[in-house]
């Protein structure tokens, strides 16, 4: 996490780093930054004075005004107060919210929001839509090189926000297949794993969600090449990807989608049934 210094005191960063490839996001931030600068100058404050009143240094203020940083909601609230903007600066929080998350995550969330059917096979971790917040945080902490605290929380928030698709009414149909090992690895410790297993049981009780477990003892199944994700939309189109085929890139071609559907279908057939999977997860919970 970047830090700033005010009067010799180190304080928390006023904003998040900008995704370098996020051109639409950078355009939004440039607009927000210009408005901040306009309000500051109209108030007759230098960048240093404005930073002092908001609790940040001159360098950080200039980064925000250039659109080089994503302003935190609490900074915009404080800036609104200092500038006497009567809510007009704080109102920019709604413009910044989408940009808080990496573009790749935003694009995925948009696809998930449109989907009416999800077919997912995960072999290296529990699927992001099924994760608890603390499991997500613990999992992202294993990444090397490590994320800084601010970026870590940004990514956790993005993944938690995606889970809202499970709460839609009417909801899409979900089919998750998880490798057994993903349910046994104690990411974050035993208590984090316990609460994660409880979350899986909670989600699996939803009428539109099926969670199946692929036992490690299965010697031959077509999921050995890596994850499979398939999203189908109400207009009959679909998008899919797999680590082990088509270079891991999203595919839309019906022939390629059919290959992914075939593999996922065989995996489902070889996995434990949803009922057997619930019993298996309950057993693991008792052992954890």
């Amino acid at each position: 996490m970047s830090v700033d210094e005010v009067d010799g005191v180190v304080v928390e960063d006023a904003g998040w780093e900008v995704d370098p490839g996020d051109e639409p996001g950078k355009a939004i931030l440039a607009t927000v930054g210009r408005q901040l600068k306009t309000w500051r100058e109209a108030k007759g404050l230098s960048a240093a004075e404005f930073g002092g009143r908001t609790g940040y240094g001159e360098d950080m203020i200039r980064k925000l005004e250039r659109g080089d940083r994503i302003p935190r909601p609490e900074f915009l609230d404080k800036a609104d107060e200092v500038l006497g903007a009567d809510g007009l600066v704080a109102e920019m929080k709604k413009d910044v919210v989408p940009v808080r998350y990496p573009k790749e995550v935003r694009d995925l969330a948009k696809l998930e929001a449109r989907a009416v059917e999800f077919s997912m096979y995960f072999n290296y971790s529990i699927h992001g839509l099924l994760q608890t917040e603390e499991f997500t945080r613990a999992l992202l902490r294993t990444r090397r090189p490590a994320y800084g605290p601010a970026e870590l929380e940004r990514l956790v928030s993005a993944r938690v926000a995606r889970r809202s698709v499970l709460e839609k009414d009417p909801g899409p149909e979900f089919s998750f297949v998880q490798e057994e090992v993903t349910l046994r690895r104690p990411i974050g410790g035993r208590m984090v794993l316990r609460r994660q297993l409880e979350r899986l049981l909670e989600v699996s009780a939803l009428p539109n969600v099926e969670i199946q477990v692929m036992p490690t003892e299965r010697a031959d199944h077509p999921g050995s090449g890596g994850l499979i994700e398939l999203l189908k939309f109400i207009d009959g189109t679909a998008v899919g990807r797999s680590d082990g085929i088509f270079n891991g890139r999203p595919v839309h071609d019906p022939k390629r989608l059919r290959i992914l559907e075939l593999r996922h279908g065989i995996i489902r057939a070889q996995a434990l049934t949803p009922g057997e999977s619930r019993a298996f997860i309950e057993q693991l919970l008792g052992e954890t």
Side-chain angles (χ1 to χ4, degrees):
M1 173 178 68
S2 300
V3 295
D4 208 2
E5 190 170 301
V6 179
D7 297 330
V9 178
V10 175
V11 296
E12 188 178 2
D13 195 336
W16 293 279
E17 294 182 4
V18 181
D19 185 344
D22 186 2
E23 294 301 329
K26 288 193 286 188
I28 291 173
L29 294 175
T31 299
V32 170
R34 284 195 300 269
Q35 292 185 55
L36 277 172
K37 184 177 181 180
T38 298
W39 274 98
R40 172 179 65 77
E41 291 178 341
K43 195 71 174 178
L45 297 174
S46 69
E49 291 170 331
F50 183 44
R53 295 191 188 185
T54 54
Y56 299 96
E58 178 181 357
D59 182 59
M60 180 56 61
I61 296 301
R62 295 199 181 279
K63 286 179 180 178
L64 290 166
E65 292 181 348
R66 290 195 304 265
D68 292 340
R69 304 290 289 181
I70 305 169
R72 293 173 178 271
E74 55 269 27
F75 168 78
L76 291 174
D77 285 334
K78 182 63 176 178
D80 190 276
E81 177 185 334
V82 169
L83 298 169
D86 294 327
L88 294 176
V89 169
E91 183 73 9
M92 291 192 291
K93 288 187 293 185
K94 68 181 182 182
D95 299 315
V96 173
V97 165
V99 190
R100 287 178 55 186
Y101 308 133
K103 183 177 183 300
E104 181 180 348
V105 175
R106 299 203 312 271
D107 291 344
L108 177 58
K110 288 178 182 178
L111 288 174
E112 290 175 341
R114 290 177 47 220
V116 295
E117 185 177 332
F118 291 67
S119 298
M120 308 294 198
Y121 163 69
F122 256 48
N123 64 342
Y124 62 83
S125 181
I126 293 171
H127 193 281
L129 294 178
L130 300 174
Q131 293 173 13
T132 65
E133 181 174 340
E134 61 180 348
F135 185 91
T136 294
R137 185 173 289 105
L139 180 64
L140 292 177
R141 279 178 176 152
T142 67
R143 188 252 202 187
R144 294 296 180 273
Y147 293 115
E151 183 65 8
L152 175 67
E153 291 308 312
R154 180 188 181 204
L155 293 172
V156 170
S157 296
R159 188 163 297 180
V160 169
R162 283 176 50 212
R163 294 189 327 203
S164 63
V165 72
L166 289 166
E167 302 167 1
K168 290 177 65 176
D169 185 18
E173 292 295 320
F174 295 91
S175 169
F176 296 97
V177 182
Q178 290 284 159
E179 281 291 336
E180 176 183 340
V181 66
T182 67
L183 309 182
R184 290 186 179 275
R185 185 171 290 121
I187 300 292
R190 294 290 174 184
M191 290 308 298
V192 171
L193 179 59
R194 277 190 61 85
R195 287 187 283 270
Q196 178 60 67
L197 294 175
E198 291 170 349
R199 173 62 177 168
L200 292 179
L201 291 174
E202 176 185 334
V203 175
S204 69
L206 297 174
N208 58 322
V209 178
E210 287 189 350
I211 298 177
Q212 294 178 253
V213 177
M214 174 63 78
T216 301
E217 65 181 16
R218 295 289 194 266
D220 180 25
H221 76 81
S224 58
L227 67 83
I228 296 174
E229 295 183 305
L230 279 166
L231 301 180
K232 294 184 179 180
F233 309 108
I234 196 168
D235 62 1
T237 60
V239 61
R241 73 182 184 98
S242 173
D243 284 343
I245 192 171
F246 313 131
N247 297 317
R249 295 176 180 174
V251 296
H252 304 267
D253 177 71
K255 291 182 179 179
R256 292 184 171 186
L257 289 170
R258 180 58 187 146
I259 292 173
L260 296 181
E261 285 184 312
L262 176 64
R263 292 187 178 188
H264 188 265
I266 297 174
I267 290 170
R268 288 188 67 186
Q270 295 185 353
L272 300 178
T273 68
E276 292 169 339
S277 298
R278 278 188 62 85
F280 184 84
I281 295 171
E282 288 171 346
Q283 178 184 334
L284 287 181
L285 184 58
E287 297 172 358
T288 303

